[in-house]
């Protein structure tokens, strides 16, 4: 068997929308708290296994069957959790989800450490076996996109970007298996794959990734694609680009790479983002056409000059939605890169105001925002003038995500 090429995982909107446990629930509960048959037997005779009203007074195994029959994955996870919590309390003398999680992690870690090397300290293992076993550990913990994560780790250890063309029988050496396992342990803590690998592909460049700088999303590659198409028409012209909130430098560096006549200024409110953009520019040999400035867009921008193109993927998650972010986003990525205030438009408002004085005649502004925002932005610029709203573009899931505006010449 050979592995097929697969798309790299996205992040908050991760690799696949749902992750379905491949173990049956009874196997899962058994593995979770009772690796021995005696423990499973104990589970079968436990008559008050769940705190959940719907399942009280049911034997644990019946609860498992009921949940297994449920079609709804989210409710499966919910009941699975309540079963595992009370099962842990009943049979493992653990209470509280934190202790359960610790127990669960340490149990899974111990069994994986055992299975990694049963006969000697360093054993070779086929890629296919390592992939199956390690993805199972992530599946059992509900980590997003478990298989793709492990595929990337194995590929990385082999010095490749994907497992495409690698035979499942190919042997990994003991130290290679250990390196994959170290990465899986970080993933167990919900660390994004991109931070674990330390680099990520964006358009046709490779960027270094450093926590907590925002990880570029696939939608942003789409935005870069449409800007590239627009700029093709200006190929013989000198182009000055400004990026507001450059993060890792993804947008600016991808455009600089494509257009040798372009010069750019990239600003960001955080030093870690500026440092990473500068580092990525050095790695890509693009420093001579880029000026990275540590600057908040709400501050004085008078010294920046004027630009033919301004682009921004600002923080746009509203306050309410901040509470619903996946742990792999909320724990690891900088909230300055995510939180856009009450309605998600705090930074966008500053960008719209500043763009009026930063754009050249006929200069264009390109924004990546949340789905409800384009309509709001259109009304904002109609009220204030200075910019003309040209159009809204959709992302690959057909959601309104990108706004194109132009200097209207009315306010200067
Ligand atoms: C969603 S991230 C986008 C990063 C990068 N452009 C990308 O698409 O991957 C938003 C970036 O804006 C920066 N930022 C937030 N508020 C800002 C402000 N008021 N002025 C300048 N940059 C800001 C954050 O630090 C973060 O790096």
């Amino acid at each position: 068997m050979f592995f097929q090429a697969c798309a790299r995982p996205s992040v908050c909107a991760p690799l696949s929308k749902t992750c379905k446990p491949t173990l049956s629930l009874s196997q899962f509960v058994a593995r979770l708290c009772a690796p021995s048959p005696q423990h499973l037997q104990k589970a079968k005779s436990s008559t008050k296994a769940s705190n959940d009203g719907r399942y009280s007074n049911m034997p644990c195994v019946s609860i498992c069957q009921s949940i297994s029959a449920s079609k709804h994955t989210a409710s499966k996870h919910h009941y699975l959790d309540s079963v595992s919590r009370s099962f842990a309390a009943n049979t493992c003398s653990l209470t509280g989800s934190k202790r359960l999680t610790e127990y669960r992690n340490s149990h899974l870690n111990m069994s994986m450490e055992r299975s990694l090397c049963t006969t000697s300290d360093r054993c070779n293992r086929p890629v296919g076996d390592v992939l199956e076993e390690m993805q199972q550990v992530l599946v059992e913990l509900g980590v997003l996109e478990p298989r793709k994560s492990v595929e990337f780790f194995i590929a990385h250890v082999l010095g490749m970007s994907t497992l495409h063309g690698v035979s499942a029988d190919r042997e990994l050496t003991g130290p290679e298996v250990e390196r994959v396992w170290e990465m899986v342990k970080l993933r167990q803590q919900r660390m994004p794959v991109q931070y674990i690998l330390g680099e990520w592909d964006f358009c046709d460049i490779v960027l270094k990734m450093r926590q907590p700088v925002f990880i570029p999303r696939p939608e942003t590659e789409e935005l870069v694609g449409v800007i590239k198409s627009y700029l093709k028409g200006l190929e013989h012209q000198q182009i000055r680009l400004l990026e507001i909130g450059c993060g890792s430098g993804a947008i600016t560096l991808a455009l600089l790479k494509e257009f040798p006549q372009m010069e750019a200024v990239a600003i960001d409110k955080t030093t870690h983002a500026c440092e990473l953009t500068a580092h990525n520019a050095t790695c890509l040999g693009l420093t001579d056409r880029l000026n990275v400035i540590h600057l908040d867009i709400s501050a004085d921008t008078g010294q920046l000059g004027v630009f033919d193109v301004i682009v921004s993927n600002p923080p746009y998650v509203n306050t309410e939605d901040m509470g619903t972010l996946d742990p792999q986003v909320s724990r690891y990525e900088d909230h300055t890169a995510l939180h856009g205030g009450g309605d998600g438009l705090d930074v966008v408002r500053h960008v719209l105001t500043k763009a009026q004085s930063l754009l050249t005649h006929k200069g264009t502004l390109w924004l990546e925002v949340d789905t409800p925002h384009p309509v709001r932005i259109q009304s904002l610029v109609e009220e204030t003038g200075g910019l003309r709203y040209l159009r809204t573009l959709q992302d690959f899931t057909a959601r309104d995500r990108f706004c194109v505006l132009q200097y209207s010449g009315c306010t200067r």
Side-chain angles (χ1 to χ4, degrees), residues 213-217 220 243-251 267-270 273 295-298 313-315 334 336-338 347 350 368:
V213 179
F214 186 82
I215 298 163
R217 308 303 206 255
T220 309
E243 182 177 4
I244 300 167
C246 53
S248 61
I251 299 174
I267 70 165
D268 202 287
K269 184 180 180 173
T270 71
L295 185 66
D296 188 321
I297 188 61
S298 64
N313 172 19
D334 191 350
T336 309
L338 304 166
V347 181
H350 287 295
E368 178 176 335

Side-chain angles (χ1 to χ4, degrees), residues 214 219-220 223-224 227 241-247 251-252 255 265-269 297 309-316 337 346-352 354-355 358-359 364-370 377 401-405:
F214 186 82
E219 293 90 327
T220 309
L223 176 62
V224 169
I227 298 175
L241 169 83
L242 170 67
E243 182 177 4
I244 300 167
C246 53
I251 299 174
T252 296
L255 291 172
V265 173
I267 70 165
D268 202 287
K269 184 180 180 173
I297 188 61
V309 176
I310 300 179
V311 60
S312 187
N313 172 19
Y316 56 68
D346 281 4
V347 181
V348 170
R349 283 192 190 84
H350 287 295
V351 172
L352 295 175
K354 291 293 170 70
L358 290 167
L359 281 174
T364 48
L365 167 64
W366 305 73
L367 296 174
E368 178 176 335
V369 289
D370 201 1
I377 290 170
R401 292 296 306 284
F402 311 115
C403 307
V404 192
L405 301 99

Side-chain angles (χ1 to χ4, degrees), residues 110-231:
M110 280 186 310
S111 40
M112 181 53 72
E113 305 277 8
R114 267 201 304 277
S115 98
L116 281 178
C117 271
T118 45
T119 50
S120 70
D121 280 338
R122 302 197 160 215
C123 15
N124 293 353
R125 303 284 312 280
V127 164
D129 289 3
V130 172
L131 177 58
E132 290 307 321
E133 285 172 21
M134 296 204 191
Q135 74 149 334
Q136 198 56 38
V137 171
L138 298 181
V139 166
E140 291 180 15
L141 290 171
V143 174
L144 291 169
E145 298 170 293
R147 187 177 184 89
K148 281 186 183 170
S149 301
V150 181
E151 284 179 359
F152 281 117
F153 300 152
I154 296 174
H156 187 73
V157 161
L158 292 174
M160 307 167 81
S161 58
T162 70
L163 277 186
H164 180 57
V166 174
S167 161
D169 297 330
R170 175 169 173 172
E171 296 260 298
L172 292 172
T173 64
E176 284 170 341
V177 176
E178 279 170 25
R179 282 181 61 205
V180 177
W181 176 232
E182 290 307 316
M183 290 193 264
V184 169
K185 284 199 277 192
L186 294 173
R187 189 77 186 115
Q188 278 185 318
Q189 309 305 317
R190 305 304 198 270
M191 183 182 279
V193 169
Q194 293 86 342
Y195 291 147
I196 297 171
L197 298 180
E199 62 179 30
W200 201 242
D201 294 350
F202 181 85
C203 295
D204 53 359
I205 55 178
V206 180
L207 296 163
K208 300 290 174 200
M209 292 287 118
R210 233 183 256 155
Q211 191 192 329
V213 179
F214 186 82
I215 298 163
R217 308 303 206 255
E219 293 90 327
T220 309
E221 293 185 285
E222 287 188 88
L223 176 62
V224 169
V226 289
I227 298 175
K228 277 184 185 174
S229 307
Y230 166 76
L231 291 176

Side-chain angles (χ1 to χ4, degrees), residues 373-391:
H373 291 157
V375 174
R376 307 274 320 277
I377 290 170
Q378 184 161 7
S379 336
L380 278 172
V381 296
E382 279 165 9
E383 279 163 28
T384 55
L387 295 174
R388 186 167 48 241
Y389 194 93
L390 293 185
R391 61 185 176 278

Side-chain angles (χ1 to χ4, degrees), residues 24-36:
S24 72
L25 278 156
S26 51
Q27 281 174 309
F28 180 63
V29 172
R31 279 202 183 195
L32 202 60
C33 286
S36 69

